[in-house]
Amino acid sequence: MFSRIARPSATLVRSLSTSCLNNAKVAVLGASGGIGQPLSLLLKNSPLVSELSLYDIAHTPGVAADLSHIETRANVKGYTGADQVGEALTGCEVVVIPAGVPRKPGMTRDDLFNTNATIVATLADACARHCPQAMICIIANPVNSTIPITSEVLKKHGVYNPNKVFGVTTLDIVRANTFVAELKGLDPARVNVPVVGGHAGITIIPLISQLAALTGRIQEAGTEVVKAKAGAGSATLSMAYAGARFTFSLLDAMNGKEGVVECAFVRSEETECKYFSTPLLLGKHGIEKNLGLGKLSAFEEKLVADAMAELKGSIKKGEDFVANMK
């Protein structure tokens, strides 16, 4: 059960240490925030990145100046404000968007919708205008709605490619691997638990039917961190790690590495939902093949069925938001 899908061929550590040099321009939108800063640090340390473009509404020049002193090859530039977003995005191959407000105790990811929907729609519009061919990786919650928002905005500009728009659900896989390894006394680096569905509550579906008791903890792991931080924010460091892991896998695949597999929330025909997270074979142009759900146990089938109503509602909420935009 722990190896249904091959472990991603580019682990974070190997991406930091590989001797292969590539020339990708990567943008982080929301680079001054709690996720954006450590994510930018991890990207700066990778030889897969030659240019690192950091954008936020404030403080980005300082973050860029700080990171620019690190002895790695990536050239770092900081941009601030709507008048500079075009320059930040021009020429980017990959755009990662952690921008938005974090959860606080008592909040669900969906409670972030009103604020983060507008932020993501605005940034997706900028991507459509300035880097329409880029891979877009959305971290901003609620992912179950922000991916439909991004897709609908790109459609309005006539540049939507479903193979290049990803909801980053990697943290769910990272958590599942960690929790299973702790429970079974295994090396987390050798554990791979596919997590399908969406990226909120019951829509997070780890395929570990033999360890059903862990399912609830994985689904509510983000809330666990929010409570532990006691009002000081949500998961930032682990999300930055997960975002970097997904970005490195995507860059490796774009550079021609074969067999790169990651789960992500994408446009899908695998279930009755328009968008669904499943393991994806990544390639030079984004999604090469959706590997689907595979054979599920009765327990897992029920989890998928139970998630459908909430997923459909979140997707429609995102689509309706763009449809009603002025």
Side-chain angles (χ1 to χ4, degrees):
M1 73 177 158
F2 302 137
S3 58
R4 295 188 189 185
I5 304 296
R7 192 69 191 265
S9 57
T11 65
L12 186 64
V13 173
R14 280 157 57 190
S15 290
L16 294 178
S17 62
T18 179
S19 60
C20 179
L21 297 183
N22 298 286
N23 294 290
K25 181 177 180 180
V26 178
V28 178
L29 308 185
S32 298
I35 296 170
Q37 289 200 43
L39 173 59
S40 299
L41 172 63
L42 293 169
L43 294 174
K44 169 66 172 127
N45 272 279
S46 174
L48 295 169
V49 180
S50 59
E51 291 185 66
L52 186 57
S53 180
L54 306 183
Y55 174 82
D56 213 322
I57 58 173
H59 310 304
T60 347
V63 175
D66 196 355
L67 289 177
S68 71
H69 294 177
I70 295 173
E71 54 182 356
T72 55
R73 69 186 290 257
N75 182 39
V76 186
K77 292 184 179 178
Y79 303 90
T80 303
D83 59 328
Q84 294 187 7
V85 69
E87 187 179 356
L89 289 171
T90 299
C92 285
E93 284 91 11
V94 176
V95 180
V96 190
I97 306 182
V101 296
R103 277 200 294 163
K104 295 181 180 179
M107 294 177 67
T108 66
R109 289 179 180 87
D110 199 52
D111 290 333
L112 304 174
F113 182 88
N114 289 335
T115 299
N116 287 358
T118 300
I119 293 171
V120 170
T122 300
L123 294 176
D125 181 84
C127 290
R129 295 175 188 276
H130 301 290
C131 56
Q133 300 302 314
M135 307 286 181
I136 301 178
C137 307
I138 304 292
I139 292 173
N141 275 314
V143 166
N144 293 353
S145 296
T146 54
I147 282 296
I149 286 171
T150 301
S151 301
E152 294 302 310
V153 170
L154 296 176
K155 287 177 186 178
K156 283 191 170 186
H157 287 272
V159 296
Y160 176 57
N161 183 341
N163 293 327
K164 292 186 174 185
V165 180
F166 304 90
V168 180
T169 62
T170 313
L171 183 52
D172 299 325
I173 291 88
V174 168
R175 286 167 168 160
N177 292 343
T178 300
F179 298 164
V180 167
E182 288 174 352
L183 183 67
K184 306 296 287 186
L186 302 171
D187 178 357
R190 297 182 178 277
V191 176
N192 183 44
V193 179
V195 181
V196 302
H199 185 57
I202 65 168
T203 72
I204 299 170
I205 306 168
L207 300 184
I208 51 169
S209 57
Q210 295 97 322
L211 296 174
L214 265 188
T215 297
R217 187 185 177 199
I218 294 166
Q219 290 176 333
E220 296 301 324
T223 302
E224 184 179 307
V225 176
V226 171
K227 288 180 178 178
K229 288 194 173 182
S234 56
T236 53
L237 300 176
S238 55
M239 185 65 250
Y241 168 89
R245 168 180 147 168
F246 184 85
T247 303
F248 295 146
S249 291
L250 186 57
L251 288 169
D252 263 339
M254 291 167 67
N255 286 326
K257 193 171 186 106
E258 296 183 351
V260 180
V261 175
E262 287 280 5
C263 292
F265 188 66
V266 299
R267 186 72 174 87
S268 175
E269 305 294 333
E270 298 300 315
T271 70
E272 60 195 80
C273 281
K274 293 181 183 178
Y275 299 86
F276 203 82
S277 179
T278 45
L280 308 169
L281 179 64
L282 301 177
K284 290 185 177 181
H285 305 292
I287 301 170
E288 191 167 292
K289 183 179 181 180
N290 192 320
L291 300 179
L293 286 168
K295 184 172 176 57
L296 302 181
S297 69
F299 174 80
E300 292 162 347
E301 287 178 349
K302 185 177 186 306
L303 290 177
V304 171
D306 289 347
M308 285 295 155
E310 182 174 327
L311 261 180
K312 287 179 181 178
S314 296
I315 291 166
K316 186 176 187 304
K317 190 173 183 178
E319 291 176 335
D320 289 348
F321 177 83
V322 178
N324 295 324
M325 282 175 59
K326 295 180 181 179

